[in-house]
Amino acid sequence: MLQITRDGEYAVRAILHMSAQPVGTLCLISEIAEAQEVPRSYLSKIMQHLVKAGLVKSRRGARGGFFLARRPQEITLRQAIEAIEGPIFLNICLIKKGECHRDEFCPVHQVWQEAQRKLMEVLDNKTMAQLVQDAEKLKGFSAKKRTPKKPPSTL
Amino acid sequence: MLQITRDGEYAVRAILHMSAQPVGTLCLISEIAEAQEVPRSYLSKIMQHLVKAGLVKSRRGARGGFFLARRPQEITLRQAIEAIEGPIFLNICLIKKGECHRDEFCPVHQVWQEAQRKLMEVLDNKTMAQLVQDAEKLKGFSAKKRTPKKPPSTL
DNA sequence: ATTAAATAGGACTAAAATCATCCTGAATGT
DNA sequence: ACATTCAGGATGATTTTAGTCCTATTTAAT
Ligand code: FES
Ligand code: FES
């Protein structure tokens, strides 16, 4: 349907949540699920998948939890999404040359290639660290709307 | 899955096929289906849909067929795809403001907006007329590869 | 008027994807 | 030992995808 799945969306939320924590913080599934409004049991599966994909590490047992395998500035939005959704191909024929035998003479093919390139460029150029910063700005903005004076002391 | 469906792909093929015909030509389902490698009975449904969407007109009965409702230079790739797939939203929260209540503070939202804008830009800036031209160039190119000498007399 | 040629439209279906839930097992800190 | 967490498998409801097939209707030609 040319739309990301809930899996992808939830994965981004989870990674973003962890990215916003102080380094070394262990996050619990229930905590992430509640904060990011993701069904708890569903998120469990997604976290497992993210661990397997190598983006997240986990510790089992009491005082266990999840934490990022890399620093937030080293994780792009694309990586977060593709870790769960798999590589993105706007049309099936983009998977690889020859996947569709029409790609040799189909004039639409190069349009999809360009569209995909531009889409990826956007997702590649946004790191989790940047998103956390953006979120802080948004928070500051909505706070300003409520209390127009006195900028917040901590940023 | 962030991928266009067969419906969308087949619709583009069908419209492209009609765009490549001399004006006034009536195209038959079976003819388009064979040329564009689309299952005949499936294409039938897609053509119906394209007629309802107003992109294509039809004439029933003997000597009937399909033809474009507008000139190829007035039909963009986006219009062809969206006529069948409906409006494209890379994430469900882009459908409209407030569709997802997180859009106010979610820092990913504006990234999806930009990604979508760039994707649409690519699809908007390609008309069926241009694609037909591109196809002719591709044909000429592969023809050149087979017979490196003697450029084709008709273009 | 008959008939052949076409599209229109509805019913139906198999397979896969989507979006989850629930339970058991394994690991780990106290 | 025990409470706490994640790991992983089984299950399932619903929707989407990607078709097929049959009948009805319209139209042109004879
Ligand atoms: S073969 Fe890739 S779009 Fe046509
Ligand atoms: S609300 Fe739109 S991406 Fe998060």
Side-chain angles (χ1 to χ4, degrees):
Chain A
M1 216 220 305
L2 209 43
Q3 190 168 95
I4 59 155
T5 62
R6 292 302 82 199
D7 287 54
E9 165 79 16
Y10 293 161
V12 171
R13 288 191 200 178
I15 293 180
L16 197 52
H17 184 93
M18 290 185 279
S19 298
Q21 311 304 317
V23 286
T25 308
L26 278 158
C27 299
L28 304 185
I29 288 213
S30 17
E31 170 206 321
I32 303 177
E34 188 177 7
Q36 302 299 317
E37 302 173 286
V38 178
R40 196 191 160 289
S41 59
Y42 195 22
L43 181 61
S44 168
K45 284 277 159 268
I46 288 170
M47 295 307 289
Q48 270 179 43
H49 203 129
L50 286 176
V51 169
K52 280 198 181 167
L55 238 60
V56 168
K57 289 186 178 170
S58 67
R59 214 163 68 194
R60 280 152 84 133
R63 307 266 296 222
F66 297 90
F67 56 100
L68 293 181
R70 302 201 293 271
R71 291 179 306 164
Q73 50 270 54
E74 289 164 332
I75 301 177
T76 67
L77 183 54
R78 175 182 179 180
Q79 285 163 359
I81 293 167
E82 290 200 332
I84 282 289
E85 302 233 347
I88 288 173
F89 300 107
L90 292 182
N91 196 345
I92 201 172
C93 57
L94 293 175
I95 291 177
K96 65 176 191 294
K97 207 191 141 191
E99 174 73 24
C100 164
H101 81 97
R102 314 183 89 254
D103 59 6
E104 283 177 32
F105 55 87
C106 172
V108 193
H109 200 74
Q110 54 197 328
V111 183
W112 281 121
Q113 278 177 333
E114 194 196 349
Q116 164 127 352
R117 195 177 53 71
K118 292 204 170 168
L119 170 60
M120 289 315 178
E121 201 174 17
V122 173
L123 302 183
D124 275 330
N125 285 326
K126 205 77 182 184
T127 67
M128 291 300 136
Q130 281 175 273
L131 286 169
V132 169
Q133 274 204 326
D134 293 349
E136 279 167 14
K137 274 183 212 158
L138 284 174
K139 222 166 69 179
F141 188 70
S142 69
K144 258 184 208 161
K145 280 202 296 191
R146 284 197 303 272
T147 60
K149 295 172 193 175
K150 294 234 183 186
S153 55
T154 59
L155 185 60
Chain B
M1 213 220 306
L2 209 45
Q3 189 167 97
I4 60 156
T5 61
R6 293 302 81 200
D7 287 55
E9 165 79 16
Y10 294 161
V12 170
R13 289 191 200 178
I15 293 181
L16 197 52
H17 183 94
M18 288 184 280
S19 299
Q21 310 305 317
V23 287
T25 309
L26 279 158
C27 301
L28 305 184
I29 289 210
S30 17
E31 169 205 323
I32 302 177
E34 188 178 7
Q36 302 300 318
E37 299 172 287
V38 178
R40 198 192 159 288
S41 59
Y42 196 21
L43 180 62
S44 168
K45 286 274 161 271
I46 288 170
M47 295 306 289
Q48 271 179 42
H49 203 129
L50 287 176
V51 170
K52 280 197 180 169
L55 237 61
V56 167
K57 288 187 177 169
S58 66
R59 215 165 66 193
R60 280 152 84 133
R63 307 264 296 218
F66 298 90
F67 56 101
L68 293 180
R70 302 201 294 272
R71 290 180 307 165
Q73 50 269 52
E74 290 166 332
I75 302 177
T76 67
L77 183 52
R78 175 182 179 181
Q79 286 164 358
I81 293 168
E82 291 200 331
I84 282 290
E85 302 234 345
I88 288 173
F89 300 108
L90 292 182
N91 196 346
I92 200 171
C93 58
L94 294 175
I95 291 176
K96 66 174 190 296
K97 206 190 141 192
E99 174 73 24
C100 163
H101 79 96
R102 314 183 90 256
D103 58 7
E104 284 178 31
F105 54 87
C106 172
V108 193
H109 200 73
Q110 54 197 326
V111 183
W112 281 121
Q113 278 178 333
E114 195 197 348
Q116 165 127 350
R117 194 178 53 70
K118 292 205 171 170
L119 170 59
M120 288 315 175
E121 202 174 17
V122 173
L123 301 183
D124 275 330
N125 286 326
K126 205 76 184 185
T127 67
M128 290 299 136
Q130 283 175 272
L131 284 170
V132 169
Q133 274 205 325
D134 293 349
E136 279 169 14
K137 273 183 212 156
L138 284 174
K139 221 168 68 179
F141 188 67
S142 69
K144 257 183 208 159
K145 280 203 296 191
R146 283 198 304 273
T147 60
K149 295 172 192 176
K150 293 234 183 185
S153 54
T154 59
L155 185 61

